[in-house]
Amino acid sequence: MFLKIFSRSLVARSTASAVVLVSVLVAVPMVVLIQSDVRNTRAELAIRAEMATRIVLDDVTNALWDLDPEEALTALSPLRSIDSFAEAVILGTHGERFAIYRKPGSPVLADAAANPAATAAATAAAVPLTRQDRTGGSRTIGTLLVRLDTGPTDAAIRHHVLVLGGIGAVTLLLVVLGVIWATRGVTLPIAGMTRAMADLAAGDVTVTVPVRHRDDEIGRMAKALDTFRQNAIDLHIAKERAEQAVASKAKFMAAASHDLRQPAQSLLMLTAMLRATAPNPKVAESARKIEQVVMTLKQLLDELLEVSRLDAGGVTANIAVHEVADLFDALDSQYGPVARNKGLAFWVPQYRAPVLTDRVLLLRLLGNLIDNAIRYTASGQVQVACLESGASLIVEVRDTGIGIPEDRLDAIWEEFHQIGNPERNRDNGIGLGLSIVRRLAGVLDHPVKVRSTPGKGSVFSVTLPLAPVEQALEPALEPALEPALEPAREPLRRAEGPIVPAPAPAPAPAAVPVAAPVAVAGLATLADAPAKSGEIAILVIDDDQFVLSAVSMFLNTAGHRVVGASSVAQGLRAVEGGDFRPDAVIADYHLSATENGLDFIGTLWQRLGLRIPAVLISGRLDGAVTARAAEMGVIVAAKPIMPDRLSALVEQMTAARPAAVSVSGGAGIAAPHKTPTI
């Protein structure tokens, strides 16, 4: 516990360090001084005892020689004037006691065995007693033992020790209190600033920085932290404004998607009609060039709007189990002919494995990477490969193209970033392709990596999670909207300089029919009705007059009978008279603030008593709309739809045109037939 406290508290560590230091500084000198004092005192007493023996040595020797104890005691009496004198003992040659003299009032020290403590508290000096015999030689006749009492000295020393110890303890306490006060004066502001920094790191910019008024180092640190807090506030405000600006821009672009696609749709239809009905080759060539310009505009518009939708959070992944072999077949169908027309070898693996992904978004992601590889590979091959790694499947798009310098591998994911295209040649894209790939990878949670060697080619890899065995056995539901997997109609042109692969914009989602549920009795379908001869009648409804006029004129030019309506009421009136009975419906989704194309199609089916084929087109489709269209069996297409795709769609929808079939009861919209796939 103490270690935990020391590890977490600077005050505890500083106080403990100060206590240890001061204790050592006080205790060591004190011990040294006391020991020195004791030694000096003992030495002084020993010297004094020895000097005392010298005073009475001759008289004591004579008394012992004469064997006169009284004379010996008289000879020893001068010793009582010596401080600390305790007793004197005259011993014979064999250690026998001849005489003992004690100072009045002093303790008995002669019997060491009976009084060891008193003996320990005494200092003795022993001097041999010698006398010349008749022959003139020196003869030891006994020993004089003088003992001095050290008790008073020891008491004085103990008193001094207690005084010094008390002074040291008080000093130590004062030092500890001073250290605590000093360290808390340092640590408390630091702790407060630490909490403030933690709150700032957590995003709380309302914290108050303590001790900003101090002029010392801590005060300067606090002022710096307060400046950092103010910068964090400014940065937070700037970040919120930037996020609001980005969100507003993304929402605006996403909301404006429908309005921006409307004129592009009109231009596509009008230029296609103009090219088809041109009176001479010059007009036809002009119409073709206009169509190319419109196609470029469409591609740029698609990329910009797709980036805006991804930034605005308008794209969510519908993760399900999909067979990767089906994805590879779809990619081969779209990009194989394009690569081979350019003289490139193109392969996709013959590999089967269930993966957890969104089919639509993954096809768009891989399609952009493959289009990159084809666009910037002059010769050689483009290959899709895959390999398993644990619970993941790594799909790689390999090419033998121009490659990417190592110092630009991170920059290629940025918007509008291109290498070697200072003239901004639009044939090479606008530099949003890999930015879209990065955003799609984030939505799907499929990491994307790249490695490249300039002049030899690049490898882009996408990591997909493999489906668990129990999920792989369950069939995956197909999405209501799939990307257009059609070959490019314009030949790919080589860039004049080396360019970072920036794919052409992902094609707008094509009119791909959704899976239809099982039919329910109550409403006839196309499969139940007999075919009829004659022209194809098509009802077109769109609130934009330019789009309505352009689509109607295009279909009229193609030989169809077209009736246009700009509102739900106008569309219903067109079929209620009985003169016009449509074989197919092409409806825009956004018809007014309260009306939409799906509601109109449902109402029209009820009025006719027949489920005629229908196409829903719009420049802004969300998941709820496509899901409802899937339930109704309505084909979904995104604006702007290509003229030839619209023609093919109409042709396949009306391959078997039905006659009128009466309703046999039931209300509401029954489940639809399966519409044809193109």
Side-chain angles (χ1 to χ4, degrees), residues 192-203:
M193 287 187 287
T194 301
R195 289 191 295 270
M197 286 188 288
D199 293 338
L200 285 174

Side-chain angles (χ1 to χ4, degrees), residues 136-176:
S138 180
R139 175 183 175 187
T140 300
I141 61 174
T143 303
L144 174 61
L145 182 63
V146 178
R147 293 191 178 97
L148 300 181
D149 185 9
T150 61
T153 303
D154 292 340
I157 292 174
R158 285 194 295 271
H159 175 72
H160 294 161
V161 169
L162 290 177
V163 172
L164 291 176
I167 294 174
V170 172
T171 303
L172 180 62
L173 179 61
L174 293 177
V175 169
V176 169

Side-chain angles (χ1 to χ4, degrees), residues 169-187:
V170 172
T171 303
L172 180 62
L173 179 61
L174 293 177
V175 169
V176 169
L177 294 177
V179 169
I180 293 176
W181 177 82
T183 54
R184 286 177 65 85
V186 174
T187 58

Side-chain angles (χ1 to χ4, degrees), residues 82 148 164 194 219 359 515 526 528 535 637 654:
I82 299 175
L148 300 181
L164 291 176
T194 301
R359 174 184 172 85
L526 182 68
D528 302 321
E535 62 187 1
T654 58

Side-chain angles (χ1 to χ4, degrees), residues 414-503:
E414 299 174 1
E415 296 84 354
F416 307 107
H417 184 86
Q418 292 179 298
I419 298 176
N421 188 23
E423 66 278 2
R424 304 296 296 173
N425 184 358
R426 293 300 182 227
D427 291 337
N428 300 319
I430 62 174
L432 287 177
L434 290 181
S435 175
I436 293 174
V437 167
R438 182 185 62 178
R439 287 170 167 83
L440 289 173
V443 172
L444 290 169
D445 194 20
H446 295 350
V448 178
K449 298 180 181 179
V450 59
R451 61 182 187 273
S452 182
T453 302
K456 293 185 178 181
S458 304
V459 178
F460 288 83
S461 63
V462 184
T463 302
L464 316 176
L466 289 169
V469 177
E470 59 274 12
Q471 294 188 26
L473 298 177
E474 300 176 1
L477 297 177
E478 293 298 322
L481 182 63
E482 293 189 359
L485 298 177
E486 57 172 337
R489 285 167 174 72
E490 293 293 333
L492 293 175
R493 283 165 285 187
R494 181 183 302 177
E496 294 181 2
I499 298 174
V500 172

Side-chain angles (χ1 to χ4, degrees), residues 319 324 327-328 331 349 351 353-372 383-398 413 433-434 436-451 458-466:
I319 302 298
V324 73
L327 302 177
F328 291 154
L331 294 171
Y351 188 86
V355 294
L356 289 171
T357 187
D358 184 305
R359 174 184 172 85
V360 176
L361 299 183
L362 181 61
L363 285 174
R364 192 179 304 170
L365 187 154
L366 293 175
N368 278 0
L369 294 179
I370 295 173
D371 191 78
N372 265 2
Q383 180 184 8
V384 179
C386 62
L387 56 96
E388 288 192 24
S389 176
S392 302
L393 181 70
I394 301 176
V395 179
E396 294 185 342
V397 178
R398 307 169 180 172
W413 307 102
L434 290 181
I436 293 174
V437 167
R438 182 185 62 178
R439 287 170 167 83
L440 289 173
V443 172
L444 290 169
D445 194 20
H446 295 350
V448 178
K449 298 180 181 179
V450 59
R451 61 182 187 273
S458 304
V459 178
F460 288 83
S461 63
V462 184
T463 302
L464 316 176
L466 289 169

Side-chain angles (χ1 to χ4, degrees), residues 507-590:
V512 179
V514 295
V518 180
V520 178
L523 201 61
T525 66
L526 182 68
D528 302 321
K532 70 177 183 179
S533 60
E535 62 187 1
I536 297 174
I538 302 175
L539 176 61
V540 180
I541 180 169
D542 198 306
D543 61 330
D544 190 290
Q545 290 294 336
F546 289 103
V547 175
L548 177 63
S549 175
V551 173
S552 299
M553 293 174 63
F554 173 76
L555 294 175
N556 274 322
T557 303
H560 305 304
R561 181 187 176 196
V562 181
V563 171
S566 59
S567 65
V568 171
Q570 186 178 353
L572 294 177
R573 283 197 302 269
V575 300
E576 286 176 347
D579 296 334
F580 177 75
R581 191 171 188 81
D583 300 311
V585 179
I586 300 174
D588 183 30
Y589 180 74
H590 298 277

